Structure formats: structure tokens, C-alpha cells
Amino acid sequence: MRDCSKSDRLLDWYGKHARDLPWRIAPALGQQGVRPDPYHVWLSEIMLQQTTVATVLSYFEKFVTDWPTVGDLAAAPADDVMAAWAGLGYYARARNLIKCANIISNELSGVFPQTREALLELPGIGEYTAAAIASIAFDKSETVVDGNVIRVISRLFAIEQPTPKSKSQVYELAASLTPSQSAGDYAQAVMDLGAGVCTPNSPNCSVCPWQSECQAFELGRPEDYPKKQPKILKPTRFGIAYLVKQSPDAWLLERRPPKGLLGGMLGWPGSEWGSSPVETPPIDTQWFTPDQSVKHTFTHFHLELSLRLAIVDRNQYPRSGRFISGNEFSPSHLPTVMRKAYVLAQACEIFQNPANPEGQN
Ligand code: SF4
């Protein structure tokens, strides 16, 4: 049975405290039946997976400026879309974004499906995103469960089972609160409550509309919820990246295979990433090895990337990759780990002072 009093109280709070975000419409307009553009909702939800609102804002603005409709996005060269996505991480999302835009534009006449079930058929749209789009863009009564919702519901009901085992319990309790009307506003209200009030480390219970019924608040230690499984340590992998500059101003780059980590993105030629990487230089030359390596953390592992740097002449040809001139290449087109390598390399003697060959060994 739905608990309307809790959801009504949260909706009242949302009417006064909703975050002003470019993909949203104000709650007052929502009350009048105005709905946000499903393209904006979809784009923002895909970008927000694993990424913060603060990071997503500038990317979202760029995407909707460059490609104002899903048709424009579908018609854009894939390389341009991947380059615009660079830095947001989780590049499979960008590849699925392109596939999804193409299906909506070419097979569905540019019209987004409205139901959770139909949305789930599209690439890159899982349970959470389908429920979010159906509820926010089309006001369907779907239950949206993201990290914020898990935290808020776990505290509200003092759920003792640790995450992620508590997932189905959280979903059932969240569903019991989801209203049959204004479900989109309700979903965004729980997200806003989690982002601004019921925060991970220091929830501001004194301003929370759910304080009077919150069991974790009653117990006095809300930040102890949600209960967590002991952390599994991430392994460290090692790799080698080759940064080759061709005078005067071209860089040796290669596009990574379409599937897998950083799939389809531009990057520096390099070794496999594992416990003991094997040298695979893409060109015969002398290499300079900086003392420092690049450190980067992915979802499931840490990476330590050793760099090999070289400057070559125009008459030297690579075994892999191709030279891209400085006019066509911007480091902002690279995924973050590759950009870190570029920044570190640029600070090295060999690129700072190319006339001095002492750096090369
Ligand atoms: Fe979170 Fe505190 Fe509100 Fe409970 S009372 S939902 S712990 S902010």
C-alpha cells in the first residue's frame, strides 16, 4: 500500500527546494502539466551515471548546444560525439548514446518511447535509467532507485541488511512511497533530498521533511546507514604508453578497439594492462622514460602507466597508430588517463626543450 503522507510531504518540500538544473522544469510548471524534453532527460541521466551533477553541467550544455535534438545527435560524426564526451569516463555509455540516438531518430521517427518496458529495449538504458526517463519525462508511476535513493530509504527505514544485498528490500520500500501522480517530481525530490540534505557523511536532519518518521534519526546514528559490506581491495595493473611527437607538431595516436575499456576513444599506443606489461614500441627510436608514472583509478582496478617519450622525424613511420597534427588534435579529446599522460609528458625535459637530446636514452 502506498504511503501518501510521506510522499506528499516530500513533494511539498521539493516545491520549495528543488535544484535548478538545465534538464529540468520547475515543480510549479510540472504541476501545470508541463513536461521536460525527453531528450534532455535521457541525455542527463546517461551522463549522470557514475558522475556528479557539477561535472555533468558543462557537458550537458555543450551537447544540447551542438546537437539540440536527438536527430542532430544521431546525425553527428561519432568521432565528434566521442570527443565531446572525453573526460566523462565510462566510454561505453557514449557508444551506447550514439546507438540509442540512431535507433530513436531512424527507427522511431525521433520519438522517445514512454514506458519503462519500451525504454529498456534501447542500448545503454538499464532499470534505473528507464524508470527515471519514464517517470521524469512522461510522469509514469515508476520507482527510481539510485545511490541517493538507496541512502535515503535505508535511513528512513533503518535497513540493517548491507548494500547491495538490501536492493530488493530498498526497491519494495521505495515503491511503497512512489505516488501514482507526480512520480517524476517525487523521484527528483528523493534525489535532491539525498544530494543536499541526507548526504553520505553528515545528514542535515534538522531541515529534513522526513525527520519525524526517520528510523535512523530516531536511533541517533543516521550516517551508519546504509550498512556496507566490507570493501574488497582493488588490484593494481601496470601498463606502458608511448607518447611520440613528430616535429614540428604532430602526435602519434591510435583509436582503441570499439569494445572494452575506453573503447573507441583516441589514446596513446601502448602495452596491455596487467601484472607485468611487455614493451611494444610503435616505432623504432630512442626513448626517454620519466621517473614519474601516471596513476589512475578505474571502477575495478588502479592503473600505473609508465611513459616512454620520443621525438621523431617526418621520415620515420609507425607500426601502429597514425600521426595527427596539432591543428586536428586537442588533449581535451582524450579520456582522462590519456590526458594525464599528456600533461606529465609535456612537463618533461624532452618536450620542454626538444633541442637538448640528453633526455633520450
Ligand atoms: Fe536522512 Fe536525517 Fe532525513 Fe533521516 S532525518 S532521511 S537521516 S536527513
Side-chain angles (χ1 to χ4, degrees), residues 165-186:
K165 282 188 181 156
S166 61
K167 202 173 163 191
S168 58
Q169 192 183 1
V170 168
Y171 183 87
E172 273 172 34
L173 290 166
S176 75
L177 300 178
T178 303
S180 50
Q181 291 186 332
S182 303
D185 277 359
Y186 172 79

Side-chain angles (χ1 to χ4, degrees), residues 152 155 197-198 203-205 208 210-211 214 217 222:
V152 173
R155 288 174 177 173
V197 176
C198 195
N204 190 359
C205 302
C208 178
W210 278 348
Q211 191 208 78
C214 176
F217 174 77

Side-chain angles (χ1 to χ4, degrees), residues 281-287 310 312 316-319:
I283 195 165
D284 292 327
T285 186
Q286 282 190 302
W287 296 99
V312 299
Q316 288 172 271
Y317 295 98
R319 282 186 283 277

